[in-house]
């Protein structure tokens, strides 16, 4: 769970300045009745509506929703998921460091889809590899709504990429890592790669079907004195991005220096909308953050605490925004065996 406070400043539109304090609480649980079978759930409590310019907001428009709910089966090196889940496609939306490092890359995250995926892990050339293929559609069930503040239910009339009848979209994600499993490569591996491709059928009001390609690299360099430099980059290109008329190109690069309990990070993401017969519309996001891990020193129940402070600069066309943020977070983990 975490709480973030952001001071947002617009140098050319001072009336739009505002402060926002918002919580995020994520709860995941899995139940394993027998070997190789698990039932998984993921609940998120956070702001579920857009922030309002020029209005200070404190824990405003907070709702709770089911992010994932699925059954998982593992046989040998093969894993199967069925239900509501996040199909694998890239990692910049998840692991880019900084308080706001993931904000722009999150625009191409595949989340809250309904369908099935098959994953296969294997070893080759010293790499731990995993390939996942997913078939899905946008969740339009009651699980797309939220409690407390209702974000509304997805419908076919909303349109957009993947929001069509049936299981009409597919995604492929292929990742490998030296020194760790593909899933934990950024934190524990020495070098990793990721390739991806996806197709999402355009829904109502769409200009076409979305196709996308992605590639990424990461590496950890030991610098001595318990210092590690974590490097990451990912690029993605989309035709008819989001089912719209324009193509889009994303580029994310980041570096994080971890020294004992301190982490110093910088990241940059660019989203370039390639508009037909018009100049490209480009958004730049830069983030610089310093974080300190208290570990379990402050814990009451073996939780691990962290505090971070950072600055982000967002330029979208002629609009500019400066954001100064503070984040306090805690992680809890536990398990219980039933007899």
């Amino acid at each position: 769970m975490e709480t973030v406070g952001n001071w947002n400043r617009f140098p050319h539109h001072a009336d739009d300045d505002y402060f926002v304090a918002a919580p995020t609480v994520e709860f995941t649980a899995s139940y394993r009745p027998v070997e190789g079978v698990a039932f998984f759930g993921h609940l998120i409590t956070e702001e579920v509506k857009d922030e309002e310019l020029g209005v200070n907001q404190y824990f405003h428009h907070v709702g709770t929703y089911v992010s994932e709910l699925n059954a998982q089966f593992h046989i040998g090196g093969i894993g199967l998921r069925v239900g509501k889940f996040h199909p694998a496609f890239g990692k910049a939306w998840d692991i880019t460091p900084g308080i706001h490092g993931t904000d722009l890359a999150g625009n191409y995250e595949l989340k809250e889809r309904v369908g099935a995926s098959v994953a296969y892990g294997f070893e080759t050339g010293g790499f731990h590899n995993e390939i996942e293929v997913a078939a899905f559609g946008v969740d339009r069930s009651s699980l797309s709504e939220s409690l407390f503040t209702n974000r509304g239910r997805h419908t076919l009339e909303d349109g957009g990429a993947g929001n069509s009848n049936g299981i009409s979209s597919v995604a492929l994600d292929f990742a490998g890592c030296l020194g760790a499993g593909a899933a934990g490569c950024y934190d524990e591996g020495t070098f990793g790669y990721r390739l991806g491709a996806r197709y999402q059928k355009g829904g109502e009001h769409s200009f076409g079907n979305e196709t996308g390609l992605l590639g990424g690299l990461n590496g950890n360099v030991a610098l001595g004195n318990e210092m590690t430099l974590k490097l990451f980059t990912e690029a993605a290109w989309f035709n008819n991005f989001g089912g719209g008329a324009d193509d889009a190109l994303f580029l994310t690069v980041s570096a994080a220096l971890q020294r004992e309990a301190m982490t110093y990070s910088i990241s940059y993401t660019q989203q370039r909308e390639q508009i037909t017969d018009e100049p490209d519309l480009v958004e730049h996001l830069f983030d610089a953050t310093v974080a300190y891990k208290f570990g379990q020193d402050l814990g009451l129940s073996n939780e691990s605490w962290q505090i971070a402070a950072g600055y982000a600069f967002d330029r979208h066309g002629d609009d500019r925004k400066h954001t100064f943020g503070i984040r306090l977070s805690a992680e809890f983990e536990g398990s219980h065996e039933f007899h």
Side-chain angles (χ1 to χ4, degrees):
M1 63 181 185
E2 68 180 37
T3 298
V4 176
N6 284 323
W7 291 264
N8 298 281
R9 298 290 180 260
F10 299 83
H12 301 309
H13 304 279
D15 291 342
D16 289 340
D17 293 353
Y18 68 98
F19 172 81
V20 59
T24 299
V25 180
E26 298 192 44
F27 175 79
T28 62
S30 61
Y31 172 59
R32 298 176 173 87
V34 295
E35 185 70 23
V37 177
F39 299 97
F40 178 80
H42 182 192
L43 291 177
I44 298 180
T45 298
E46 63 180 3
E47 279 189 318
V48 294
K49 294 188 176 181
D50 293 338
E51 297 171 2
E52 301 175 44
L53 297 178
V55 179
N56 294 331
Q57 297 145 71
Y58 304 88
F59 300 91
H60 199 44
H61 295 319
V62 175
T64 299
Y65 61 93
V66 177
S67 177
E68 298 179 81
L69 187 64
N70 55 70
Q72 304 177 0
F73 307 91
H74 297 273
I75 304 173
I78 299 176
L80 172 66
R81 288 187 296 177
V82 180
K84 182 173 180 177
F85 64 102
H86 300 333
F89 183 79
K91 293 292 284 185
W93 50 267
D94 182 42
I95 65 175
T96 305
I99 295 178
H100 294 282
T102 62
D103 286 4
L104 203 53
N107 290 342
Y108 64 82
E109 177 186 4
L110 288 176
K111 57 184 178 180
E112 297 192 67
R113 299 314 202 245
V114 174
S117 70
V118 177
Y120 176 66
F122 60 97
E123 309 283 330
T124 181
F127 280 83
H128 304 274
N129 304 280
E130 183 170 286
I131 184 169
E132 178 178 305
V133 179
F136 54 87
V138 171
D139 176 30
R140 294 187 300 274
S141 71
S142 60
L143 296 181
S144 66
E145 299 183 77
S146 56
L147 296 174
F148 310 115
T149 298
N150 193 351
R151 59 181 181 172
R153 184 168 180 166
H154 285 140
T155 66
L156 283 172
E157 289 73 25
D158 295 332
N163 190 16
S164 56
N165 282 316
I167 304 299
S168 58
S169 303
V170 294
L172 169 69
D173 191 76
F174 183 35
C177 185
L178 284 173
C185 194
Y186 178 78
D187 289 320
E188 303 171 4
T190 55
F191 175 78
Y193 69 89
R194 186 173 296 271
L195 300 170
R198 80 189 196 193
Y199 166 87
Q200 296 196 92
K201 185 176 179 180
E204 292 190 21
H205 319 298
S206 295
F207 286 84
N209 303 322
E210 180 198 82
T211 56
L213 298 172
L214 176 143
L217 297 170
N218 71 276
N220 290 346
V221 182
L223 301 179
N225 296 325
E226 299 188 23
M227 286 197 303
T228 302
L229 178 63
K230 297 182 177 182
L231 302 173
F232 173 75
T233 183
E234 184 171 281
W237 173 84
F238 302 90
N239 176 249
N240 294 123
F241 180 59
D246 307 320
D247 300 341
L249 178 66
F250 290 81
L251 174 65
T252 298
V253 293
S254 72
L257 180 64
Q258 185 174 330
R259 182 176 183 181
E260 297 179 342
M262 296 292 299
T263 300
Y264 310 86
S265 68
I266 56 173
S267 66
Y268 167 78
T269 300
Q270 178 185 123
Q271 178 178 345
R272 180 177 295 270
E273 297 177 51
Q274 300 171 320
I275 304 172
T276 304
D277 299 326
E278 292 185 24
D280 293 350
L281 182 60
V282 184
E283 183 170 1
H284 307 267
L285 176 63
F286 171 81
D287 180 281
T289 295
V290 177
Y292 179 78
K293 270 191 175 183
F294 294 98
Q296 298 178 350
D297 295 342
L298 300 180
L300 300 176
S301 181
N302 294 322
E303 72 273 18
S304 178
W305 289 85
Q306 183 185 78
I307 189 169
Y311 163 76
F313 173 70
D314 188 319
R315 189 179 76 187
H316 190 193
D318 295 328
D319 295 329
R320 288 167 170 79
K321 180 175 73 170
H322 301 276
T323 301
F324 303 88
I326 295 177
R327 178 179 67 199
L328 179 65
S329 60
E331 294 183 3
F332 302 78
E333 186 175 358
S335 63
H336 179 76
E337 184 175 344
F338 296 91
H339 298 281

